[in-house]
Structure formats: C-alpha cells, structure tokens
Amino acid sequence: MPDAAVVPAPLERWQRDYLNSLVVERGLSVHTVSAYRRDLDRYIAWLAERGIADAAGVKPDDVTAYERHLATGDETHQPLTSSSRARALVAVRNLHAFGQAEGLTTKNVAADMPVPKQGQHLPKALSVDQVQRLIEGVERETPIGLRDAALLELLYGTGARVSEAVSLDVDDVTRLFGDDDLGLHLIGKGDKERIVPLGSYARAALEAYLVRGRPALREGAKRATPALFVNTRGDRLSRQVAFNIVKERATQAGITAPISPHALRHSFATHLLDGGADIRVVQELLGHASVTTTQIYTKVTAEHLREVYATAHPRAQRVLSR
C-alpha cells in the first residue's frame, strides 16, 4: 500500500471534504468519523496504487475489485470479517454518493454494491422547548448575536442544510421582503432548487441582521462579497464555523443533547409531522428526491407518540407489556 504522500491531491481532497461533511452536515461523533477515516484511508490508498487519480477515474469494476480485495486480503492485511467488510463498503458507497452530489462524478459507481443491511439510525430531533431555548437564548444586541439568531431561525424555520444556508447571498433574502416572492430559494444536492416558506420569526431575525448586524460585520472588510452570512472578517461564513455556532449556542442554552445544524433540520421535519403535515409536503420542503428518505421521520414521530402514550395513559404500561 503506498504512502500517503503518493496519493494524488484530488483523491485526498475528495476524502477530506467528505469527512468534513460528516461532522458539519450530519453531526457525527468524533469516533464515528475516525472509523470512516480508517476505512477510507485504505480505499483511497488502494485507488492510488491502481493509478486512479480522482473520483471520476473510478469505474464499477474498480469497486468490485476492491470488494474482493477486502474479502481475500493480501500481504498488507488479513481478510476482513463480514461486519468489518460491511462497514468499509458502506463508507465507500457513501463516499461515492457524496462525490456525485458534489459534482465530482456523474454517477455513483458504488450504488449497486451489495452491502449487508445495517441497523437503522433514527435522527435525533430536539424538543420544541429545546429549540425555543436555543434560539431565544441568543442575545440580539451585538452584530454576532444578530447573525447567530438569524442563522438559527433560518435553519430551523426552513429545514435548510447548513451548506445551503451558508451558500445564500443577500439578494436571495432581500427579494423575499417584497410582495411578489413566495418563498426562499435554496439550492440543494445536485444543484436542485426548491422553494420553502419563510416564517415571521425568521423574517424578523433576518431583517434585523441585514439592517444592524451584517453592515457592522462587513465594516473594514478588504473585499466585497454577496454572502448573506459573514464571519468577523466580513467574509462568507464557512460550514465549519456555522457548525461551531450551533454547538456553542446550545451549550449556552444548557442543552446537553448532541446537537448540530443537521439536528435543526431533523427537528424541522419531525415537528412538522407531529403537527399533522403531509409527508409529501415535508419531502418537498427538505428537498428529498424520494419520499422513502423522508419516511424515517414518520418512525421518529411514531416513537414519540408511543413515549407520550406510555407516560400519559393510566393503563398504557399494562397494554404495552403484553
């Protein structure tokens, strides 16, 4: 297996960006991301050894050959157990799905890779009370406070991915304050555009930020930027900084549950379904290509209803124990 130094830069960048997305977009733990990194280090080095320089250079036959490689082993490693092999192949498939979503490839060459089914991970949503504590706990007397409040209101109020939120420009929002626009235009995975309504709380927070927050943050900036959300240097806010903002504001609000920008997206969907929204509407608002992706939230809602029933109904425990 070649040293990391001989791995082509496009392969390294592909892996690095994907691992960053696991932290920033999905809020996965350090231990989980480390496991992905170990599996993908092996895969990326193997691709480099075969003379493959970037994501577009990987063919379906390469993926099949790698699957055999894991099962049979070589002079560098023993054959992996079925569970370790399944985990490694899931990492490969997800890496290629990310590459397609980011436009590095036109298709996911690992999409048809047979991988044993893994236990389903239900997304963790915050309670309505936790969301209120998170957002209302932000001071709105400073430019940074105004920015953070607007960011949190937008993430929860629209269900936007953090990458979609930080990609917004000022013009994307200011046109909402006229009478003709029906909603906020978001550009999702695969450059797919969708329109989501913007509620009164998010509108008010964005207006306050645009009038009193953003101009102060942009003061003294060395270069122009159309970005809606900016950092203390006046440049576009990065996904990682947005992730840190959510984490820090949650800590200030006394929320001990794991939280990330994606948790606000989960909460947006779960609370809509709890309130009676149609799953097809939630699918459109989230920008999911298939309703099957959205259906996981119905399981979260069902679990919530079961918990409420079990604690609130006087005869629930006897019924549920049968």
PDB file of all heavy atoms in Angstrom, residues 269-296:
ATOM      1  N   ALA A 269     -38.337  18.798  10.394  1.00  0.00           N
ATOM      2  CA  ALA A 269     -39.170  17.756   9.779  1.00  0.00           C
ATOM      3  C   ALA A 269     -40.047  17.059  10.807  1.00  0.00           C
ATOM      4  O   ALA A 269     -41.246  16.841  10.580  1.00  0.00           O
ATOM      5  CB  ALA A 269     -38.269  16.739   9.072  1.00  0.00           C
ATOM      6  N   THR A 270     -39.464  16.708  11.945  1.00  0.00           N
ATOM      7  CA  THR A 270     -40.211  15.984  12.973  1.00  0.00           C
ATOM      8  C   THR A 270     -41.354  16.819  13.521  1.00  0.00           C
ATOM      9  O   THR A 270     -42.485  16.324  13.693  1.00  0.00           O
ATOM     10  CB  THR A 270     -39.269  15.574  14.122  1.00  0.00           C
ATOM     11  OG1 THR A 270     -38.205  14.780  13.589  1.00  0.00           O
ATOM     12  CG2 THR A 270     -40.008  14.774  15.179  1.00  0.00           C
ATOM     13  N   HIS A 271     -41.108  18.098  13.778  1.00  0.00           N
ATOM     14  CA  HIS A 271     -42.148  18.952  14.339  1.00  0.00           C
ATOM     15  C   HIS A 271     -43.261  19.217  13.328  1.00  0.00           C
ATOM     16  O   HIS A 271     -44.428  19.358  13.724  1.00  0.00           O
ATOM     17  CB  HIS A 271     -41.541  20.265  14.839  1.00  0.00           C
ATOM     18  CG  HIS A 271     -40.564  20.063  15.955  1.00  0.00           C
ATOM     19  ND1 HIS A 271     -39.694  21.048  16.392  1.00  0.00           N
ATOM     20  CD2 HIS A 271     -40.305  18.970  16.732  1.00  0.00           C
ATOM     21  CE1 HIS A 271     -38.955  20.558  17.376  1.00  0.00           C
ATOM     22  NE2 HIS A 271     -39.297  19.312  17.592  1.00  0.00           N
ATOM     23  N   LEU A 272     -42.915  19.279  12.048  1.00  0.00           N
ATOM     24  CA  LEU A 272     -43.953  19.421  11.032  1.00  0.00           C
ATOM     25  C   LEU A 272     -44.877  18.203  11.016  1.00  0.00           C
ATOM     26  O   LEU A 272     -46.104  18.334  10.986  1.00  0.00           O
ATOM     27  CB  LEU A 272     -43.323  19.594   9.645  1.00  0.00           C
ATOM     28  CG  LEU A 272     -42.837  20.991   9.273  1.00  0.00           C
ATOM     29  CD1 LEU A 272     -42.107  20.961   7.929  1.00  0.00           C
ATOM     30  CD2 LEU A 272     -44.009  21.976   9.191  1.00  0.00           C
ATOM     31  N   LEU A 273     -44.279  17.008  11.044  1.00  0.00           N
ATOM     32  CA  LEU A 273     -45.082  15.792  11.031  1.00  0.00           C
ATOM     33  C   LEU A 273     -45.880  15.646  12.320  1.00  0.00           C
ATOM     34  O   LEU A 273     -47.037  15.209  12.290  1.00  0.00           O
ATOM     35  CB  LEU A 273     -44.188  14.569  10.812  1.00  0.00           C
ATOM     36  CG  LEU A 273     -43.598  14.444   9.401  1.00  0.00           C
ATOM     37  CD1 LEU A 273     -42.526  13.370   9.365  1.00  0.00           C
ATOM     38  CD2 LEU A 273     -44.697  14.126   8.384  1.00  0.00           C
ATOM     39  N   ASP A 274     -45.273  16.008  13.445  1.00  0.00           N
ATOM     40  CA  ASP A 274     -46.004  15.987  14.716  1.00  0.00           C
ATOM     41  C   ASP A 274     -47.223  16.911  14.653  1.00  0.00           C
ATOM     42  O   ASP A 274     -48.251  16.645  15.283  1.00  0.00           O
ATOM     43  CB  ASP A 274     -45.105  16.450  15.869  1.00  0.00           C
ATOM     44  CG  ASP A 274     -44.132  15.362  16.316  1.00  0.00           C
ATOM     45  OD1 ASP A 274     -44.323  14.188  15.933  1.00  0.00           O
ATOM     46  OD2 ASP A 274     -43.168  15.688  17.032  1.00  0.00           O
ATOM     47  N   GLY A 275     -47.095  17.994  13.889  1.00  0.00           N
ATOM     48  CA  GLY A 275     -48.188  18.953  13.770  1.00  0.00           C
ATOM     49  C   GLY A 275     -49.215  18.597  12.715  1.00  0.00           C
ATOM     50  O   GLY A 275     -50.158  19.360  12.499  1.00  0.00           O
ATOM     51  N   GLY A 276     -49.017  17.462  12.039  1.00  0.00           N
ATOM     52  CA  GLY A 276     -50.008  16.999  11.074  1.00  0.00           C
ATOM     53  C   GLY A 276     -49.679  17.274   9.621  1.00  0.00           C
ATOM     54  O   GLY A 276     -50.534  17.072   8.747  1.00  0.00           O
ATOM     55  N   ALA A 277     -48.469  17.717   9.320  1.00  0.00           N
ATOM     56  CA  ALA A 277     -48.107  17.997   7.923  1.00  0.00           C
ATOM     57  C   ALA A 277     -48.067  16.698   7.113  1.00  0.00           C
ATOM     58  O   ALA A 277     -47.698  15.636   7.631  1.00  0.00           O
ATOM     59  CB  ALA A 277     -46.748  18.689   7.862  1.00  0.00           C
ATOM     60  N   ASP A 278     -48.425  16.784   5.856  1.00  0.00           N
ATOM     61  CA  ASP A 278     -48.380  15.634   4.953  1.00  0.00           C
ATOM     62  C   ASP A 278     -46.921  15.292   4.632  1.00  0.00           C
ATOM     63  O   ASP A 278     -46.101  16.193   4.407  1.00  0.00           O
ATOM     64  CB  ASP A 278     -49.128  15.958   3.657  1.00  0.00           C
ATOM     65  CG  ASP A 278     -49.180  14.772   2.716  1.00  0.00           C
ATOM     66  OD1 ASP A 278     -50.108  13.952   2.841  1.00  0.00           O
ATOM     67  OD2 ASP A 278     -48.278  14.662   1.863  1.00  0.00           O
ATOM     68  N   ILE A 279     -46.606  14.017   4.582  1.00  0.00           N
ATOM     69  CA  ILE A 279     -45.221  13.599   4.368  1.00  0.00           C
ATOM     70  C   ILE A 279     -44.699  14.060   3.010  1.00  0.00           C
ATOM     71  O   ILE A 279     -43.502  14.344   2.857  1.00  0.00           O
ATOM     72  CB  ILE A 279     -45.072  12.073   4.528  1.00  0.00           C
ATOM     73  CG1 ILE A 279     -43.581  11.698   4.554  1.00  0.00           C
ATOM     74  CG2 ILE A 279     -45.821  11.329   3.420  1.00  0.00           C
ATOM     75  CD1 ILE A 279     -43.321  10.268   4.944  1.00  0.00           C
ATOM     76  N   ARG A 280     -45.566  14.164   2.017  1.00  0.00           N
ATOM     77  CA  ARG A 280     -45.131  14.617   0.694  1.00  0.00           C
ATOM     78  C   ARG A 280     -44.734  16.086   0.734  1.00  0.00           C
ATOM     79  O   ARG A 280     -43.811  16.502   0.022  1.00  0.00           O
ATOM     80  CB  ARG A 280     -46.249  14.415  -0.345  1.00  0.00           C
ATOM     81  CG  ARG A 280     -46.592  12.968  -0.612  1.00  0.00           C
ATOM     82  CD  ARG A 280     -45.563  12.320  -1.512  1.00  0.00           C
ATOM     83  NE  ARG A 280     -45.892  10.926  -1.811  1.00  0.00           N
ATOM     84  CZ  ARG A 280     -45.173  10.135  -2.587  1.00  0.00           C
ATOM     85  NH1 ARG A 280     -44.060  10.588  -3.125  1.00  0.00           N
ATOM     86  NH2 ARG A 280     -45.540   8.894  -2.809  1.00  0.00           N
ATOM     87  N   VAL A 281     -45.412  16.853   1.542  1.00  0.00           N
ATOM     88  CA  VAL A 281     -45.052  18.267   1.697  1.00  0.00           C
ATOM     89  C   VAL A 281     -43.697  18.389   2.381  1.00  0.00           C
ATOM     90  O   VAL A 281     -42.840  19.167   1.968  1.00  0.00           O
ATOM     91  CB  VAL A 281     -46.132  19.013   2.509  1.00  0.00           C
ATOM     92  CG1 VAL A 281     -45.687  20.446   2.801  1.00  0.00           C
ATOM     93  CG2 VAL A 281     -47.452  19.015   1.756  1.00  0.00           C
ATOM     94  N   VAL A 282     -43.489  17.587   3.426  1.00  0.00           N
ATOM     95  CA  VAL A 282     -42.212  17.603   4.133  1.00  0.00           C
ATOM     96  C   VAL A 282     -41.086  17.171   3.197  1.00  0.00           C
ATOM     97  O   VAL A 282     -39.985  17.726   3.231  1.00  0.00           O
ATOM     98  CB  VAL A 282     -42.270  16.701   5.380  1.00  0.00           C
ATOM     99  CG1 VAL A 282     -40.918  16.668   6.092  1.00  0.00           C
ATOM    100  CG2 VAL A 282     -43.350  17.194   6.341  1.00  0.00           C
ATOM    101  N   GLN A 283     -41.364  16.181   2.351  1.00  0.00           N
ATOM    102  CA  GLN A 283     -40.371  15.740   1.363  1.00  0.00           C
ATOM    103  C   GLN A 283     -39.935  16.894   0.480  1.00  0.00           C
ATOM    104  O   GLN A 283     -38.733  17.109   0.242  1.00  0.00           O
ATOM    105  CB  GLN A 283     -40.957  14.630   0.488  1.00  0.00           C
ATOM    106  CG  GLN A 283     -40.031  14.193  -0.661  1.00  0.00           C
ATOM    107  CD  GLN A 283     -40.766  13.395  -1.729  1.00  0.00           C
ATOM    108  OE1 GLN A 283     -41.946  13.058  -1.574  1.00  0.00           O
ATOM    109  NE2 GLN A 283     -40.086  13.094  -2.828  1.00  0.00           N
ATOM    110  N   GLU A 284     -40.901  17.663  -0.022  1.00  0.00           N
ATOM    111  CA  GLU A 284     -40.580  18.799  -0.887  1.00  0.00           C
ATOM    112  C   GLU A 284     -39.800  19.867  -0.132  1.00  0.00           C
ATOM    113  O   GLU A 284     -38.846  20.449  -0.656  1.00  0.00           O
ATOM    114  CB  GLU A 284     -41.869  19.399  -1.459  1.00  0.00           C
ATOM    115  CG  GLU A 284     -42.574  18.535  -2.476  1.00  0.00           C
ATOM    116  CD  GLU A 284     -41.736  18.321  -3.732  1.00  0.00           C
ATOM    117  OE1 GLU A 284     -41.049  19.274  -4.148  1.00  0.00           O
ATOM    118  OE2 GLU A 284     -41.773  17.200  -4.282  1.00  0.00           O
ATOM    119  N   LEU A 285     -40.190  20.131   1.099  1.00  0.00           N
ATOM    120  CA  LEU A 285     -39.512  21.160   1.878  1.00  0.00           C
ATOM    121  C   LEU A 285     -38.067  20.777   2.191  1.00  0.00           C
ATOM    122  O   LEU A 285     -37.181  21.632   2.223  1.00  0.00           O
ATOM    123  CB  LEU A 285     -40.281  21.418   3.179  1.00  0.00           C
ATOM    124  CG  LEU A 285     -41.653  22.083   3.029  1.00  0.00           C
ATOM    125  CD1 LEU A 285     -42.366  22.124   4.369  1.00  0.00           C
ATOM    126  CD2 LEU A 285     -41.526  23.491   2.461  1.00  0.00           C
ATOM    127  N   LEU A 286     -37.829  19.484   2.424  1.00  0.00           N
ATOM    128  CA  LEU A 286     -36.473  19.025   2.724  1.00  0.00           C
ATOM    129  C   LEU A 286     -35.627  18.863   1.467  1.00  0.00           C
ATOM    130  O   LEU A 286     -34.402  18.791   1.548  1.00  0.00           O
ATOM    131  CB  LEU A 286     -36.525  17.691   3.472  1.00  0.00           C
ATOM    132  CG  LEU A 286     -37.056  17.720   4.902  1.00  0.00           C
ATOM    133  CD1 LEU A 286     -37.162  16.299   5.451  1.00  0.00           C
ATOM    134  CD2 LEU A 286     -36.181  18.562   5.806  1.00  0.00           C
ATOM    135  N   GLY A 287     -36.267  18.768   0.303  1.00  0.00           N
ATOM    136  CA  GLY A 287     -35.524  18.579  -0.936  1.00  0.00           C
ATOM    137  C   GLY A 287     -35.095  17.137  -1.142  1.00  0.00           C
ATOM    138  O   GLY A 287     -34.095  16.881  -1.831  1.00  0.00           O
ATOM    139  N   HIS A 288     -35.824  16.188  -0.556  1.00  0.00           N
ATOM    140  CA  HIS A 288     -35.515  14.775  -0.763  1.00  0.00           C
ATOM    141  C   HIS A 288     -35.999  14.326  -2.135  1.00  0.00           C
ATOM    142  O   HIS A 288     -37.125  14.642  -2.543  1.00  0.00           O
ATOM    143  CB  HIS A 288     -36.192  13.903   0.299  1.00  0.00           C
ATOM    144  CG  HIS A 288     -35.560  14.004   1.652  1.00  0.00           C
ATOM    145  ND1 HIS A 288     -36.199  13.628   2.815  1.00  0.00           N
ATOM    146  CD2 HIS A 288     -34.326  14.446   2.033  1.00  0.00           C
ATOM    147  CE1 HIS A 288     -35.392  13.822   3.846  1.00  0.00           C
ATOM    148  NE2 HIS A 288     -34.255  14.322   3.400  1.00  0.00           N
ATOM    149  N   ALA A 289     -35.153  13.575  -2.843  1.00  0.00           N
ATOM    150  CA  ALA A 289     -35.535  13.090  -4.161  1.00  0.00           C
ATOM    151  C   ALA A 289     -36.627  12.031  -4.060  1.00  0.00           C
ATOM    152  O   ALA A 289     -37.462  11.895  -4.958  1.00  0.00           O
ATOM    153  CB  ALA A 289     -34.312  12.516  -4.887  1.00  0.00           C
ATOM    154  N   SER A 290     -36.618  11.261  -2.973  1.00  0.00           N
ATOM    155  CA  SER A 290     -37.585  10.186  -2.798  1.00  0.00           C
ATOM    156  C   SER A 290     -38.272  10.303  -1.451  1.00  0.00           C
ATOM    157  O   SER A 290     -37.640  10.667  -0.451  1.00  0.00           O
ATOM    158  CB  SER A 290     -36.894   8.819  -2.905  1.00  0.00           C
ATOM    159  OG  SER A 290     -37.758   7.769  -2.512  1.00  0.00           O
ATOM    160  N   VAL A 291     -39.551   9.974  -1.412  1.00  0.00           N
ATOM    161  CA  VAL A 291     -40.286  10.042  -0.151  1.00  0.00           C
ATOM    162  C   VAL A 291     -39.802   8.988   0.833  1.00  0.00           C
ATOM    163  O   VAL A 291     -39.988   9.125   2.039  1.00  0.00           O
ATOM    164  CB  VAL A 291     -41.804   9.891  -0.411  1.00  0.00           C
ATOM    165  CG1 VAL A 291     -42.164   8.445  -0.756  1.00  0.00           C
ATOM    166  CG2 VAL A 291     -42.611  10.386   0.793  1.00  0.00           C
ATOM    167  N   THR A 292     -39.159   7.941   0.344  1.00  0.00           N
ATOM    168  CA  THR A 292     -38.653   6.907   1.249  1.00  0.00           C
ATOM    169  C   THR A 292     -37.599   7.478   2.195  1.00  0.00           C
ATOM    170  O   THR A 292     -37.459   7.020   3.326  1.00  0.00           O
ATOM    171  CB  THR A 292     -38.062   5.721   0.467  1.00  0.00           C
ATOM    172  OG1 THR A 292     -37.026   6.197  -0.401  1.00  0.00           O
ATOM    173  CG2 THR A 292     -39.125   5.027  -0.356  1.00  0.00           C
ATOM    174  N   THR A 293     -36.844   8.469   1.727  1.00  0.00           N
ATOM    175  CA  THR A 293     -35.868   9.119   2.594  1.00  0.00           C
ATOM    176  C   THR A 293     -36.562   9.881   3.718  1.00  0.00           C
ATOM    177  O   THR A 293     -36.096   9.894   4.858  1.00  0.00           O
ATOM    178  CB  THR A 293     -34.988  10.087   1.789  1.00  0.00           C
ATOM    179  OG1 THR A 293     -34.440   9.405   0.665  1.00  0.00           O
ATOM    180  CG2 THR A 293     -33.857  10.649   2.636  1.00  0.00           C
ATOM    181  N   THR A 294     -37.691  10.485   3.388  1.00  0.00           N
ATOM    182  CA  THR A 294     -38.438  11.273   4.371  1.00  0.00           C
ATOM    183  C   THR A 294     -39.167  10.388   5.371  1.00  0.00           C
ATOM    184  O   THR A 294     -39.419  10.810   6.505  1.00  0.00           O
ATOM    185  CB  THR A 294     -39.456  12.182   3.638  1.00  0.00           C
ATOM    186  OG1 THR A 294     -38.836  12.765   2.485  1.00  0.00           O
ATOM    187  CG2 THR A 294     -39.953  13.297   4.540  1.00  0.00           C
ATOM    188  N   GLN A 295     -39.487   9.176   4.971  1.00  0.00           N
ATOM    189  CA  GLN A 295     -40.310   8.314   5.817  1.00  0.00           C
ATOM    190  C   GLN A 295     -39.655   7.949   7.140  1.00  0.00           C
ATOM    191  O   GLN A 295     -40.333   7.546   8.082  1.00  0.00           O
ATOM    192  CB  GLN A 295     -40.692   7.045   5.052  1.00  0.00           C
ATOM    193  CG  GLN A 295     -41.811   7.274   4.049  1.00  0.00           C
ATOM    194  CD  GLN A 295     -42.073   6.062   3.174  1.00  0.00           C
ATOM    195  OE1 GLN A 295     -41.218   5.188   3.028  1.00  0.00           O
ATOM    196  NE2 GLN A 295     -43.259   6.015   2.594  1.00  0.00           N
ATOM    197  N   ILE A 296     -38.340   8.090   7.230  1.00  0.00           N
ATOM    198  CA  ILE A 296     -37.677   7.802   8.503  1.00  0.00           C
ATOM    199  C   ILE A 296     -38.212   8.703   9.607  1.00  0.00           C
ATOM    200  O   ILE A 296     -38.269   8.320  10.778  1.00  0.00           O
ATOM    201  CB  ILE A 296     -36.147   7.946   8.372  1.00  0.00           C
ATOM    202  CG1 ILE A 296     -35.456   7.382   9.624  1.00  0.00           C
ATOM    203  CG2 ILE A 296     -35.740   9.387   8.124  1.00  0.00           C
ATOM    204  CD1 ILE A 296     -33.959   7.294   9.506  1.00  0.00           C
TER     205      ILE A 296
END
